[in-house]
């Protein structure tokens, strides 16, 4: 970290920095526009990157599972932040490690997850969806069985509350009076606003103007829950940068509540740990249901929080296949997508090293997806690591495929999934024919689709499903 | 929540009787459902000629004797489907057979282990039961008096159910029943029909369709056909009449999923029993949490389904106070409200005798409430009975008070209540100051408010 650059990140930050000034690299992650970090990404490409430290093998489970003490997953992750934030992050890490072992915290969190959030969420056998795929195949044989992990039934309508609640509790223990967050689709914003209301914390949520338009009902909900919603020109990435700036300007009494597994250490690990309740329940429910483990886990991937929430527990179980589905938007060739892992390159963004959508110059590409929550040009470092190590596979689904999948599930099971979740469901079309009979597939139904009704109305209903 | 089983789904509250003695002398000419002019006095007078049947008169006398102050002796309902003088089966001849069949099927399900198991599984894995009994810390603090005393407020989280309200409990059960009979309520019904592969037709007042456009889309997305009703005032009561007309025409092949505890017997009993899981869970959860029963139960009342779902379990526990909260709209004197039990008179609507909002000519008065779910000019007959017996108390809350509560609970607890539920929450303002220290209040948080955010924002300053 270059100490001479500190003054540039404390207080007011410059809105624009010279494009080729590579000395700005280390000030990048506080929300200064990302244009500056292209030098880093050129240096750290996949083929020529320097080793950033110990790369654990798959047999060495502990660091593989948790990241090393510097928050690295292989070469990904880390803490690319200015000096000013280091002590905050250290405090946060200490607090996090403490609460993991603190009985009182765990009891309070468990009770809140049960009574406030409504856990545990069911593992639901989607009989009609399973039948649909069997009929499509037209082969004799049973086909795989599809189960949905019903995170859509959580308070707020998505998995985001698991993390928001736990972190809001930490914020209160740290003595913060306010919380700041950034949100894309609005689900994290709503979850944060709800948790803050419950815990008497002030809440400020930054959201991109484009997203505000598309997810207006979530914006209204946040306001009703008492949060201040600040609009930022652009989308989630811009809102994130602005939220981090705000945090830096209010470090003493404000807690930055990260909604997903990106950002500097300890955010990726913290968020993943708090989402891991999903997978712990799934393991237990699978065991109760059919006396075994799932064969395949499928989840949509924006930054990766719901995916890691489902995958992480099973990373050590090599017989469980992990499948993440990113947003291919209007198609991978169109330039309008959010398929970071499919076509991205490694770089530093928002405090950690991971795959990013960037052009040859290292400029961040603006992502697109009909699932607003997937519209992020980066991805969590742990996800990058799972890809690179080959432990998980990543595919994509287009906007159109997602819409079709949304309508299919609504029609067949009476569950309207979020458009983000619909990406995971869309991939079943390609996945199912490759699976053996009786294979147990668990799809993380990460959110409900009420917030997407307006989008669906605009896009109209395909005549085949009318 | 980590326990595997849910409460047993339902048990009919009276002994099974497959012989229903419906009254052949009904003068009712289908399909008009306007009530005959009621007597102006509040004392009982049956406003149709059924009273002339001596069998009926005897049953009536028995009922009056039985309906003393001990709830355990009350028949809820009796074999005619009456709760005291309320309830019954005021329907055209064409529907009598369908209703008998329904009643028989319903009773047989009580002992059908397969059905019970299937329903329990659906309630658990599809609907997401059991719903938590949540201690509302900040709301409790809000009502704490200066000397530190005050009641403890618990919320029964029906808002966490699939589709966001208690309605799904009844819809899934009736859809399962329909399959066997092979033949926020609209969204819940469309949802379950999708799930069970049944064709679904939903009647909705044209005015309501406008107010709830997003819900209409959701219903269509779930595969239902939504038919707008333009007759009358184009609201719920007209839609109900139209649905019943359709049912009469297609009674062989269609099951009418009634969304509330109104309508002809056996619907009030059935719908109540399907929602009774709420009360059963609450009893168990209360025992786990504080080793006792609730002191006060509070619920909003439109048709009355969520309230009966919570109350039914505790009717015999006379130390448990039961409070229903209706919609006072613009105020009880404005003429624009839906406070049926406060301002209504007894009459027959949609097949049952109950309190109704009606004018001197017996015409139904169009109700008003900011919340569509409470916007019904009638009320379930069992509520009418509980009111007359003094077992439950009924109050009302204006639109404005409901909106205040909507905002207050969102801010204090981070849970956005449905506008319907907000009526119950608003009543806490008047109730809590009167309660002793440590009194435990369980409020049925019947639905989440996502559907109402657009409406509320127009009125609230946020």
């Amino acid at each position: 970290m270059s100490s001479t650059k500190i003054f540039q990140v404390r207080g007011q930050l410059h809105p624009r920095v010279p494009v080729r000034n590579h000395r700005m690299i280390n000030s990048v992650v506080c929300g200064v526009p990302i244009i500056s970090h292209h030098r880093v990404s050129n240096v750290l490409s996949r083929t020529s990157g320097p080793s950033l430290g110990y790369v654990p093998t798959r047999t060495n489970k502990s660091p593989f599972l948790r990241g090393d003490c510097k928050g690295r997953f292989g070469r990904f992750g880390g803490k690319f932040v200015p000096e000013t934030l280091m002590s905050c992050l250290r405090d946060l890490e200490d607090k996090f490690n403490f609460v993991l072992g603190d009985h009182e915290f765990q009891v309070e969190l468990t009770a809140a997850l049960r009574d406030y959030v409504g856990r545990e969420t069911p593992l639901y056998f989607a009989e009609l969806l399973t039948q649909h795929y069997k009929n499509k195949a037209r082969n004799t044989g049973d086909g795989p069985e599809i189960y949905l992990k019903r995170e859509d039934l959580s308070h707020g309508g998505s998995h985001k509350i698991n993390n928001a609640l736990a972190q809001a509790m930490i914020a209160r223990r740290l003595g913060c009076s306010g919380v700041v967050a950034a949100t894309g689709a609005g689900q994290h914003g709503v979850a944060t606003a709800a948790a803050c209301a419950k815990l008497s914390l002030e809440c400020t949520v930054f959201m991109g103007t484009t997203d505000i338009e598309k997810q207006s009902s979530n914006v209204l909900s946040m306001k009703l829950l008492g949060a201040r919603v600040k609009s930022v020109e652009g989308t989630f990435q811009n809102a994130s940068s602005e939220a981090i700036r705000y945090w830096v300007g209010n470090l003493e009494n404000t807690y930055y509540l990260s909604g997903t597994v990106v950002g500097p250490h300890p955010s990726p690990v913290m968020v993943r740990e708090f989402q891991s309740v999903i997978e712990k329940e799934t393991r237990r429910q699978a065991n109760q249901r059919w006396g075994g483990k799932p064969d395949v886990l499928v989840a949509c991937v924006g930054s990766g929080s719901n995916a890691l929430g489902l995958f992480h527990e099973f990373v050590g179980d090599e017989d469980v296949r992990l499948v993440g589905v990113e947003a291919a938007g209007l198609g991978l060739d169109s330039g309008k997508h959010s398929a970071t892992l499919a076509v991205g390159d490694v770089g530093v963004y928002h405090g950690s090293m991971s795959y990013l959508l960037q052009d040859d110059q290292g400029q961040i590409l603006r992502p697109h997806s009909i699932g607003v929550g997937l519209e992020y040009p980066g991805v969590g470092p742990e996800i990058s690591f799972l890809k690179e190590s080959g432990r998980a596979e990543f595919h994509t689904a287009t906007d159109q495929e997602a819409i079709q999948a949304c309508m299919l599930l609504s029609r067949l099971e009476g569950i309207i999934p979020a458009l983000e979740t619909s990406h995971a469901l869309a991939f079943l079309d390609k996945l199912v024919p490759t699976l053996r009979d009786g294979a147990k597939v668990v799809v993380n139904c990460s959110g409900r689709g009420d917030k997407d009704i307006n989008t669906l109305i605009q896009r109209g209903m395909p005549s085949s499903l009318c | 929540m980590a326990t595997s089983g849910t409460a047993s789904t339902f048990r009919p509250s009276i002994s099974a009787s497959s012989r229903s003695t419906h009254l052949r002398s009904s003068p009712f000419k289908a399909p008009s459902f306007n009530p005959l002019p009621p007597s102006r006095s509040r004392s009982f007078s049956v406003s149709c000629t059924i009273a002339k049947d001596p069998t009926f008169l005897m049953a009536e006398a028995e009922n009056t004797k039985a309906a003393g102050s001990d709830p355990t002796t009350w028949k809820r309902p009796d074999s005619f489907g009456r709760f005291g003088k309320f309830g019954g089966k005021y329907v055209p001849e064409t529907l009598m057979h369908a209703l008998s069949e329904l009643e028989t099927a319903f009773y047989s399900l009580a002992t059908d282990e397969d059905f019970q198991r299937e329903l329990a599984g659906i309630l658990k894995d599809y609907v997401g039961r059991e719903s938590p009994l949540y201690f509302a810390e900040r709301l409790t603090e809000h009502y704490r008096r200066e000397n530190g005393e005050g009641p403890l407020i618990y919320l029964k989280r029906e808002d966490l159910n699939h589709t966001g309200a208690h309605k799904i409990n009844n819809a899934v059960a009736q859809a399962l029943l329909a399959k066997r009979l092979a033949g926020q309520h609209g969204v819940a019904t469309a949802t379950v029909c999708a799930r069970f592969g049944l064709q679904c037709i939903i009647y909705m007042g044209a005015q309501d369709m406008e107010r709830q456009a997003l819900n209409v889309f959701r219903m269509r997305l779930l595969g239902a056909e939504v038919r707008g009703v333009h007759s009358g005032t184009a609201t719920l009561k007209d839609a109900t009449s139209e649905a019943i007309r359709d049912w009469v025409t297609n009674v062989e092949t269609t099951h009418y999923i009634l969304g509330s505890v109104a309508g002809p017997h056996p619907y009030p009993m059935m719908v109540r029993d399907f929602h009774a899981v709420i009360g059963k869970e609450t009893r168990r959860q209360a025992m786990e949490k504080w080793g006792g029963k609730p002191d006060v139960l509070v619920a909003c009342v439109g048709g009355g389904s969520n309230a009966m779902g919570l109350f039914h379990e505790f009717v015999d526990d006379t130390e448990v106070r039961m409070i229903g909260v209706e919609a006072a709209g613009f105020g009880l004197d404005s003429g624009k409200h839906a406070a049926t039990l406060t301002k209504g008179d007894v009459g027959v609507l949609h097949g049952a005798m109950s309190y109704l909002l009606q004018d001197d000519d017996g015409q139904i008065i169009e109700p008003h409430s900011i919340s569509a779910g409470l916007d019904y000019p009638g009320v379930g007959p069992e509520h009418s009975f509980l009111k007359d017996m003094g077992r439950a108390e009924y109050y009302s809350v204006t639109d404005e008070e409901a909106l205040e509560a909507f905002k207050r609970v969102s801010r204090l607890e981070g849970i956005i209540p449905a506008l319907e539920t907000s009526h119950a929450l608003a009543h806490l303002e008047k109730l809590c100051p009167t309660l002793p220290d440590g009194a435990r209040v369980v409020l049925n948080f019947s639905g989440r408010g996502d559907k109402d955010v657009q409406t509320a924002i127009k009125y609230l300053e946020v």
Side-chain angles (χ1 to χ4, degrees):
Chain A
M1 313 303 142
S2 163
S3 61
T4 59
K5 296 296 166 226
I6 291 174
F7 74 94
Q8 289 181 345
V9 297
R10 197 181 282 154
Q12 293 305 309
L13 295 164
H14 302 150
R16 286 278 176 266
V17 296
V19 161
R20 292 198 181 270
N21 183 355
H22 59 272
R23 289 163 73 214
M24 296 301 281
I25 287 168
N26 291 327
S27 65
V28 84
V29 295
C30 211
V32 171
I34 315 84
I35 300 168
S36 59
H37 82 278
H38 67 283
R39 288 291 178 193
V40 175
S41 46
N42 279 345
V43 167
L44 295 172
S45 68
R46 271 180 289 169
T47 50
S48 64
S51 160
L52 280 185
Y54 164 61
V55 179
T57 62
R58 280 161 69 177
T59 52
N60 186 351
K61 283 189 187 168
S62 170
F64 185 92
L65 292 179
R66 259 205 300 284
D68 69 13
C69 60
K70 293 208 171 96
R72 293 212 195 92
F73 304 88
R75 62 186 174 125
F76 303 105
K79 265 195 224 184
F80 292 82
V81 294
E83 203 77 27
T84 15
L85 290 186
M86 288 300 274
S87 63
C88 269
L89 291 177
R90 255 196 303 276
D91 279 347
L92 186 55
E93 195 177 343
D94 288 342
K95 201 49 144 189
F96 170 62
N97 286 326
F98 176 73
V99 301
L100 278 187
D102 179 27
H103 180 70
E104 203 185 301
F105 182 92
Q106 293 297 337
V107 162
E108 191 186 333
L109 182 57
T110 307
L113 286 174
R114 186 193 64 220
D115 289 346
Y116 185 67
V117 174
R119 299 211 74 90
E120 50 180 54
T121 55
L123 185 65
Y124 168 72
F125 175 49
E127 195 180 334
L128 288 159
L129 191 62
T130 299
Q131 197 58 47
H132 166 81
Y133 284 114
K134 282 188 203 167
N135 295 340
K136 259 181 102 167
R138 273 183 249 118
N139 297 331
T140 53
D142 288 330
E145 288 175 12
I146 303 173
Y147 292 81
L148 303 176
K149 181 62 175 153
R150 301 290 302 281
E151 293 300 299
D152 60 298
L153 291 175
S154 303
H155 178 51
S158 80
H159 69 293
K160 294 287 185 189
I161 187 85
N162 302 327
N163 165 63
L165 187 61
Q167 286 204 53
M169 283 169 61
I170 291 182
R172 203 165 56 166
R173 278 170 174 241
L174 284 172
C176 296
S177 57
V179 163
V180 64
T183 190
Q187 291 302 117
H188 174 61
V190 171
T192 305
C196 288
K198 179 182 178 352
L199 298 172
S200 320
L201 294 164
E202 274 170 36
C203 181
T204 309
V205 179
F206 287 85
M207 196 168 176
T209 42
T210 329
D211 295 336
I212 287 177
E213 259 178 59
K214 288 193 233 173
Q215 311 270 264
S216 58
S217 61
N218 272 346
V219 176
L220 292 178
S221 296
M222 282 183 251
K223 288 181 175 164
L224 269 169
L225 292 164
R228 278 186 313 165
V229 179
K230 291 194 179 286
S231 65
V232 178
E233 193 62 42
T235 60
F236 175 55
Q237 74 218 69
N238 311 94
S240 284
S241 304
E242 205 56 48
I244 296 173
R245 271 197 199 98
Y246 179 94
W247 180 38
V248 170
N250 294 284
L251 279 177
E252 285 188 6
N253 50 21
T254 309
Y255 180 92
Y256 176 70
L257 211 159
S258 167
T260 190
V261 288
V262 297
H265 182 68
S267 280
V269 171
M270 255 177 51
V271 176
R272 183 253 284 153
E273 275 303 314
F274 291 137
Q275 291 293 0
S276 68
V277 62
I278 302 175
E279 61 215 355
K280 292 188 174 89
E281 287 176 6
T282 303
R283 186 187 281 281
R284 191 174 56 241
Q285 289 163 326
N287 202 27
Q288 274 171 4
R289 215 42 178 278
W290 62 80
K293 290 181 269 195
D295 294 300
V296 191
L297 300 175
V298 188
C300 61
V301 175
S303 340
S305 65
N306 95 88
L308 280 176
L310 185 65
F311 292 173
H312 179 72
E313 166 93 358
F314 294 98
V315 164
D317 296 83
E318 304 207 358
D319 46 347
V320 178
R321 200 172 145 194
L322 309 177
V323 177
V325 187
E326 291 189 297
L330 301 176
L332 289 180
D333 298 326
S334 68
K336 294 211 157 287
H337 59 79
S338 304
T340 315
L341 294 164
V343 301
D345 286 305
V346 178
V348 172
Y349 186 53
H350 285 157
S352 73
M353 181 161 302
S354 193
Y355 277 95
L356 314 170
L357 283 177
Q358 49 186 311
D359 66 13
D360 295 341
Q361 315 258 301
Q363 303 295 326
I364 297 292
L365 293 171
R366 188 153 165 173
H368 162 79
S369 169
I370 199 171
V372 175
L374 303 183
E375 262 183 343
Y376 186 63
V379 75
E382 193 172 351
I383 295 272
S384 294
F385 182 60
L386 288 177
K387 174 184 161 80
E388 198 157 87
S389 61
R391 179 62 189 94
E393 41 186 293
F394 295 91
H395 304 272
T396 60
T398 61
D399 284 357
Q400 201 49 41
E401 288 167 339
I403 292 177
Q404 291 277 2
C406 176
M407 292 186 168
L408 186 69
L409 193 71
S410 303
R411 196 58 70 100
L412 290 181
E413 292 287 352
I415 301 170
I416 305 177
L419 282 171
E420 293 81 3
T421 311
S422 303
H423 285 73
L425 293 162
F427 187 68
L428 290 176
D429 273 3
K430 299 193 180 83
L431 175 68
V432 162
T434 69
L435 297 176
R436 62 171 176 82
D437 282 351
K440 313 264 193 248
V441 182
V442 173
V443 181
N444 206 9
C445 195
S446 51
R448 60 177 188 246
D450 303 49
K451 64 183 180 64
D452 296 316
I453 295 290
N454 279 322
T455 306
L456 289 166
I457 292 176
Q458 275 161 28
R459 294 292 288 248
M461 290 228 246
S463 51
S464 58
L465 281 180
C466 275
Chain B
M1 282 293 283
T3 56
S4 55
T6 57
S8 68
T9 54
F10 76 95
R11 291 280 180 269
S13 58
I14 63 178
S15 56
S17 158
S18 55
R19 186 181 49 88
S20 54
T21 52
H22 45 262
L23 304 156
R24 299 238 164 243
S25 57
S26 165
F28 223 94
K29 306 274 183 287
S32 162
F33 285 85
N34 286 327
L36 296 170
S39 129
R40 289 312 302 156
S41 71
R42 287 301 182 105
S43 66
F44 168 66
S45 67
V46 179
S47 49
C48 70
T49 57
I50 289 177
K52 301 246 166 56
D53 186 309
T55 329
F56 175 79
L57 280 175
M58 267 167 52
E60 183 54 43
E62 264 174 52
N63 251 0
T64 319
K65 263 192 288 184
S69 58
D70 181 4
T72 54
T73 62
W74 298 346
K75 288 198 173 14
R76 297 189 296 119
D78 65 13
S79 53
F80 293 111
R82 290 192 173 268
F83 303 86
K85 66 180 181 188
F86 302 106
K89 270 195 231 183
Y90 295 83
V91 294
E93 202 74 28
T94 16
L95 289 185
M96 290 301 265
H97 177 70
L99 289 176
S100 304
E101 211 184 32
L102 191 55
E103 196 179 342
T104 311
F106 177 71
Y107 286 133
S108 73
L109 295 176
T111 50
D112 185 336
E113 290 301 326
D114 279 343
F115 179 88
Q116 295 293 346
R117 208 183 358 249
E118 195 178 350
L119 184 54
I122 290 166
L123 286 174
K124 173 167 172 271
D125 289 341
Y126 186 64
V127 174
R129 297 210 76 89
E130 47 179 62
S131 58
L133 185 64
Y134 168 71
F135 175 54
E137 195 177 331
R138 289 194 75 196
L139 209 52
T140 297
E141 196 185 304
H142 173 78
Y143 290 115
R144 195 165 291 142
R145 304 186 270 268
E146 269 170 27
N147 58 6
E149 294 185 347
L152 303 168
I153 320 271
Y154 291 81
L155 305 174
K156 181 62 174 156
R157 299 292 300 282
E158 295 297 299
D159 60 299
L160 291 174
N161 295 343
H162 182 49
T163 68
H166 69 291
K167 295 284 185 188
I168 189 94
N169 302 325
N170 168 61
V172 289
Q174 285 206 46
L176 252 193
L177 175 60
K179 260 188 104 166
R180 275 158 182 265
L181 284 176
Q184 183 197 200
H185 169 68
V187 172
T189 307
T191 299
V192 300
C193 288
R195 168 71 181 73
F196 294 105
L198 297 166
Q199 191 212 1
C200 177
I201 298 172
I202 296 177
Y203 285 91
M204 200 167 173
Q207 252 201 59
D208 287 338
M209 281 175 74
E210 257 178 57
R211 285 199 272 181
Q212 306 265 297
L214 288 189
N215 267 344
V216 175
F217 184 82
R218 279 166 84 197
M219 289 181 236
R220 289 191 169 131
L221 184 59
L222 294 160
E225 183 191 335
V226 183
R227 295 184 183 168
V229 174
H230 298 269
S231 55
T233 53
T235 55
L236 174 60
K237 72 160 172 63
D238 310 284
T240 310
S241 304
E242 198 58 46
I244 295 176
R245 272 187 205 109
D246 185 317
W247 186 35
V248 171
T249 322
N250 299 292
V251 73
E252 303 288 312
T253 53
T254 313
H255 171 68
Y256 177 52
I257 293 190
L258 212 159
S260 193
V261 288
H265 179 71
Y267 279 104
M269 175 184 75
M270 243 173 59
V271 175
R272 172 200 70 196
D273 285 352
F274 287 144
H275 280 304
V277 60
I278 303 174
K280 289 191 175 79
E281 285 177 4
T282 302
R283 186 189 282 284
R284 197 183 49 249
Q285 289 162 326
M287 189 54 77
E288 269 169 22
K289 282 189 149 51
W290 65 79
K293 294 182 244 191
D295 296 302
V296 191
L297 302 174
V298 185
C300 61
V301 174
S305 61
N306 94 87
M308 279 322 301
L310 182 64
F311 292 175
H312 178 58
E313 175 74 12
F314 296 98
V315 168
D316 293 347
D317 297 88
T318 47
E319 72 277 24
V320 177
R321 204 172 144 195
M322 303 186 330
I323 296 180
V325 187
E326 293 188 297
F330 292 144
L332 291 178
D333 299 321
S334 68
K336 295 235 154 258
H337 60 78
T340 317
L341 291 164
T342 312
K343 295 290 244 176
D345 289 302
V346 179
V348 173
L349 177 65
H350 295 145
M353 178 161 298
S354 192
Y355 279 97
L356 318 168
L357 289 175
Q358 50 185 308
D359 63 19
D360 293 342
D361 296 323
Q363 297 299 313
I364 303 294
I365 297 175
E366 190 193 340
H368 163 78
S369 169
I370 195 173
S371 60
L374 301 184
D375 213 346
Y376 184 61
V379 73
E382 195 165 2
H383 281 292
S384 299
F385 177 63
L386 292 175
K387 174 187 157 84
D388 271 16
M389 299 309 298
R391 179 64 188 92
E393 316 157 39
Y394 296 89
Y395 302 97
S396 61
V397 144
T398 61
D399 285 355
E400 204 177 307
E401 290 166 332
L403 283 164
E404 279 306 313
F406 180 88
K407 186 171 163 187
R408 182 168 47 242
V409 175
S410 301
R411 291 278 160 99
L412 287 180
E413 292 289 348
I415 311 172
I416 303 176
L419 279 172
E420 292 80 4
T421 312
S422 303
H423 284 72
L425 291 161
H427 185 67
L428 291 176
E429 294 284 293
K430 298 200 181 83
L431 175 66
C432 290
T434 70
L435 293 176
D437 188 38
R440 297 187 201 265
V441 180
V442 171
L443 190 143
N444 206 10
F445 208 94
S446 51
R448 62 175 190 252
D450 304 48
K451 63 183 178 63
D452 297 315
V453 163
Q454 305 277 359
T455 308
I457 285 289
K458 279 188 249 173
Y459 297 93
L460 295 173
E461 280 155 26
V462 284

